[in-house]
């Protein structure tokens, strides 16, 4: 099992650390050839405008789209924006997931928050259904999802913060900033 | 569980999202737009870049809130702003404006010659400058969630940023190799909080995100700092005091991502036009050095 972490900018070391703790081989992806032989890819948190621009500049845009048509990709925060097909703004989007996102949906940094989430799908990993601690930093919201997309988590207000379409995952929060590796383990199952 | 805001985890978390990126000084909304389009991860909104503060002299203060708000309205990336060292009311005002990060900065004229701001009293996160590990950990002790080297702002001379990064990272390497019984004396020598010294020793790095700043003017400068081991870079006067800011900004962003790839660095360094003129730090009289501000 070899998982790539898109290392153009953002929290890629944090994702890599958790994967390595789980005994997974990881590769930092900055150029197209580094996608070869990977079983899956994580697009980390960061600034979606920066990540999108660098992906275009270094010829990664189409290779990432092709990769996502065959393999698992998980985007956290900025990564979920980059996976979406619509972010109400003119910036490069992979358009792999049939989701519409709103950037900075909760406001600026002073509005960033932590909250426990109920994520039923993580029950498949163990019998207990403990809450998952969600860290939302200038976070986007998944406003609407297409018919092939499953909603994995919502806030109490009903707003969508995690979704899955086949082997593609999007979370508007940051599991890589917690010590809880369940979401990473779930992604590894999806990628297998 | 109720939502929690303003926690240290959230303050640190935003800095973690900026890693591997470039934060650019901007003085107008137009600059901010250029920075965002070039791939900046955040902008620092201010009235004068450090090179102009240095040239014009006088008291340098927090920027006009009107300018900061206009810049916040213009870009979708985080906006930072500077408060004077120890000027907690400027910081309160910046927090009320909703800026995403406050830089308690030696580039502005200090408002207190003994004390820095108690940064734990705020929900907005702070970044602070340092020249060595002791100074970095004192700032973290006061609540800073992000540290940067001071370098020597407004000079375009990277030598001080290199000195400060080497000192911080060198002190950490030294700390890791000490036998347990020598750690307390080293903490005393550093003038740093003991618990944070222990944490740094355990982690093998600062307990917060660590950027380089002060004198970075070229893609090679940015990559140099990244190879030395920082998490990202601030570029102040280096971009908008150069001949072709948009091109240079984009090149520095690319160099920060591909800092370990000399072929790409060579490619992005081509034809960038005139760099900022710059001023050699060793020619500046001691009393005019900015990095000595802060305690």
């Amino acid at each position: 099992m070899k998982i790539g972490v898109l290392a153009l900018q953002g929290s890629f070391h944090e994702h890599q650390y958790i994967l390595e703790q789980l005994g997974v081989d990881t590769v930092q992806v900055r150029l197209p050839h580094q996608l070869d032989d990977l079983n899956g890819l994580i697009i980390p948190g960061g600034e979606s405008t920066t990540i999108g621009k660098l992906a275009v500049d270094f010829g990664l845009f189409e290779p990432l789209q092709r990769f996502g048509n065959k393999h698992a990709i998980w985007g956290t925060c900025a990564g979920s924006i980059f996976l979406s097909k619509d972010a109400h703004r003119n910036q490069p989007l992979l358009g792999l997931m049939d989701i519409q996102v709103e950037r900075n949906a909760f406001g600026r940094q002073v509005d960033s928050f932590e909250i426990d989430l109920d994520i039923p799908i993580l029950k498949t990993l163990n019998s207990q259904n403990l809450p998952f601690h969600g860290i939302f930093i200038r976070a986007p919201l998944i406003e609407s999802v297409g018919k092939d997309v499953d909603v994995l988590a919502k806030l109490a207000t009903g707003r969508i913060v995690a979704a899955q379409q086949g082997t593609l995952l999007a979370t508007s929060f940051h599991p890589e900033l917690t010590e809880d590796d369940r979401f990473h383990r779930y992604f590894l199952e999806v990628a297998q | 569980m109720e939502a929690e805001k303003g926690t240290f985890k959230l303050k640190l978390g935003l800095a973690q999202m900026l890693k591997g990126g470039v934060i650019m000084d901007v003085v107008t909304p137009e600059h901010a737009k250029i920075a965002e389009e070039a791939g900046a991860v955040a902008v620092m909104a201010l009235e004068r870049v450090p090179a102009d503060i240095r040239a014009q002299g006088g008291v340098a203060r927090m920027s006009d809130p009107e300018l900061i708000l206009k810049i916040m309205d213009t870009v979708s990336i985080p906006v930072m702003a500077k408060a004077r060292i120890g000027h907690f009311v400027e910081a309160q005002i910046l927090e009320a404006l909703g800026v995403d990060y406050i830089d308690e900065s030696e580039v502005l004229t200090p408002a207190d010659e003994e004390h820095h701001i108690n940064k734990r009293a705020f929900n907005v996160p702070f970044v602070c400058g340092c020249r060595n590990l002791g100074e970095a950990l004192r700032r973290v002790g006061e609540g800073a969630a992000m540290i940067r080297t001071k370098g020597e702002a407004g000079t375009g001379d990277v030598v001080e940023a290199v000195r400060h990064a080497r000192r911080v990272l060198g002190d950490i390497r030294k700390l890791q190799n000490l036998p347990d019984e020598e750690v307390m004396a080293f903490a005393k020598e550093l003038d740093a909080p003991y618990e944070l010294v222990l944490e740094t020793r355990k982690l093998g790095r600062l307990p917060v995100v660590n950027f380089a700043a002060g004198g970075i003017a070229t893609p090679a400068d940015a990559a140099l700092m990244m190879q030395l081991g920082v998490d990202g870079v601030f570029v102040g006067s280096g971009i908008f005091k150069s001949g072709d800011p948009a091109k240079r900004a984009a090149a520095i962003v690319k160099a920060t991502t591909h800092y370990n790839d000399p072929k790409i660095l060579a490619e992005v360094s081509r034809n960038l036009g005139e760099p900022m003129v710059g001023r050699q730090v060793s020619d500046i009289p001691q009393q005019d050095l900015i990095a000595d501000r802060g305690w």
Side-chain angles (χ1 to χ4, degrees):
Chain A
M1 191 74 153
K2 201 158 140 194
I3 301 291
V5 183
L6 193 65
L8 296 172
Q9 189 272 318
S11 56
F12 53 89
H13 282 123
E14 287 77 357
H15 275 295
Q16 236 182 329
Y17 178 77
I18 296 182
L19 292 172
E20 281 166 7
Q21 297 295 106
L22 291 168
V24 177
D25 282 342
T26 64
V27 178
Q28 293 185 2
V29 176
R30 290 185 178 82
L31 294 169
H33 70 88
Q34 291 158 336
L35 288 168
D36 297 347
D37 311 323
L38 296 180
N39 302 97
L41 179 79
I42 294 178
I43 305 177
E47 278 307 313
S48 63
T49 49
T50 306
I51 293 172
K53 181 182 187 311
L54 287 165
V56 171
D57 288 349
F58 288 96
L60 269 161
F61 196 80
E62 278 149 27
L64 283 171
Q65 286 177 322
R66 282 197 298 275
F67 186 87
N69 285 327
K70 278 183 281 182
H71 303 283
I73 302 185
W74 171 23
T76 58
C77 194
S80 71
I81 297 168
F82 195 36
L83 281 175
S84 76
K85 65 168 191 188
D86 185 1
H88 302 292
R89 204 174 167 282
N90 184 22
Q91 67 181 77
L93 302 174
L94 292 174
L96 284 165
M97 281 185 82
D98 190 8
I99 57 173
Q100 201 174 36
V101 299
E102 185 191 348
R103 288 185 58 197
N104 305 334
F106 302 92
R108 305 193 71 94
Q109 172 62 11
V110 286
D111 304 304
S112 292
F113 61 98
E114 303 184 37
I115 198 163
D116 282 343
L117 298 168
D118 177 35
I119 308 181
I121 197 93
L122 297 180
K123 258 192 277 191
T124 56
L125 299 170
N126 57 18
S127 53
Q128 288 176 305
N129 186 25
L130 297 169
F132 193 91
H133 195 62
I135 296 177
F136 293 81
I137 296 173
R138 288 173 47 95
L141 192 69
I142 302 171
E143 281 177 318
S144 62
V145 301
K147 61 176 173 31
D148 297 328
V149 182
D150 296 320
V151 172
L152 300 185
K154 286 182 184 178
L155 294 174
T157 53
R159 304 171 94 181
I160 304 167
V161 293
Q164 176 170 2
Q165 176 184 334
T167 57
L168 302 171
L169 292 176
T171 56
S172 44
F173 49 96
H174 294 283
E176 77 275 22
L177 298 187
T178 69
E179 277 156 25
D180 189 339
D181 61 13
R182 282 178 295 163
F183 224 104
H184 286 80
R185 285 193 280 140
Y186 179 64
F187 175 66
L188 294 176
E189 272 187 14
V190 170
Q192 225 152 27
Chain B
M1 173 194 162
E2 289 292 302
E4 286 184 280
K5 293 185 178 181
T7 64
F8 191 73
K9 191 155 196 91
L10 293 166
K11 294 174 176 178
L12 178 58
L14 179 56
Q16 286 173 282
M17 296 310 132
L18 302 174
K19 283 164 65 176
V22 183
I23 299 166
M24 302 181 191
D25 278 3
V26 298
V27 300
T28 64
E30 293 71 35
H31 279 184
K33 198 75 209 157
I34 291 170
E36 182 176 49
E37 280 166 8
V41 289
V43 291
M44 178 76 70
L46 70 179
E47 276 173 348
R48 296 183 285 173
V49 293
D52 289 335
I53 292 175
R54 194 175 272 290
Q56 294 160 8
V59 176
R61 310 178 178 92
M62 175 187 83
S63 296
D64 183 342
E66 180 66 17
L67 171 76
I68 296 169
L69 288 170
K70 275 190 184 146
I71 290 172
M72 285 165 59
D73 280 345
T74 304
V75 293
S76 66
I77 55 179
V79 175
M80 300 184 166
K82 289 184 194 289
R84 282 180 265 178
I85 289 173
H87 206 317
F88 52 86
V89 174
E90 284 188 349
Q92 290 165 5
I93 292 170
L94 293 174
E95 181 172 61
L97 293 175
V99 303
D100 297 295
Y101 240 92
I102 295 176
D103 183 7
E104 186 185 18
S105 178
E106 69 283 0
V107 169
L108 305 184
T109 309
D112 190 321
E113 294 195 328
E114 281 178 71
H115 308 289
H116 283 250
I117 296 169
N118 171 24
K119 294 165 271 288
R120 295 172 189 273
F122 291 79
N123 283 330
V124 62
F126 282 76
V127 54
C128 288
C130 75
R131 290 161 297 179
N132 53 52
L133 181 58
E135 197 173 16
L137 294 181
R138 289 197 295 280
R139 298 295 86 80
V140 175
E142 293 155 359
M146 182 176 185
I147 289 293
R148 55 173 175 76
T149 61
K150 286 180 172 172
E152 189 58 33
T155 59
D157 186 349
V158 79
V159 67
E160 293 300 303
V162 169
R163 189 195 314 280
H164 299 158
R166 280 203 186 274
R167 199 162 289 163
V168 171
L169 299 165
D171 283 345
I172 293 172
R173 286 187 285 268
K174 202 156 135 195
L175 177 60
Q176 283 187 285
N177 289 317
L178 291 178
D180 287 337
E181 66 273 17
E182 291 182 15
V183 174
M184 181 59 90
F186 192 58
K188 187 179 161 196
E189 186 189 316
L190 293 172
D191 263 331
Y194 182 62
E195 297 302 324
L196 290 174
V197 171
L198 286 183
E199 193 184 342
T200 304
R201 175 173 156 91
K202 195 171 131 207
L203 294 171
R205 55 160 293 138
L206 285 181
V208 299
V209 169
N210 178 25
F211 269 47
I216 294 157
T218 68
D221 289 347
L224 172 66
M225 299 313 299
M226 292 297 288
Q227 286 197 28
L228 283 174
V230 300
D231 297 319
V233 297
F234 284 86
V235 185
S237 321
I239 290 172
F240 289 99
K241 286 284 164 190
S242 75
D244 190 342
K247 201 167 174 187
R248 182 165 295 265
I252 293 176
V253 168
K254 289 176 189 170
T256 303
T257 292
H258 293 279
Y259 66 93
N260 255 334
D261 190 329
K263 280 191 181 143
I264 291 178
L265 295 176
E267 187 57 36
V268 303
S269 299
R270 290 169 63 178
N271 282 319
L272 296 182
E274 284 299 306
M276 75 178 278
V277 175
R279 191 167 167 199
Q280 204 174 309
V281 174
S282 53
D283 290 346
I284 301 173
Q286 187 69 32
Q287 72 271 16
D288 293 342
L289 292 177
I290 286 175
D292 291 340
R293 298 166 168 176
W295 356 102

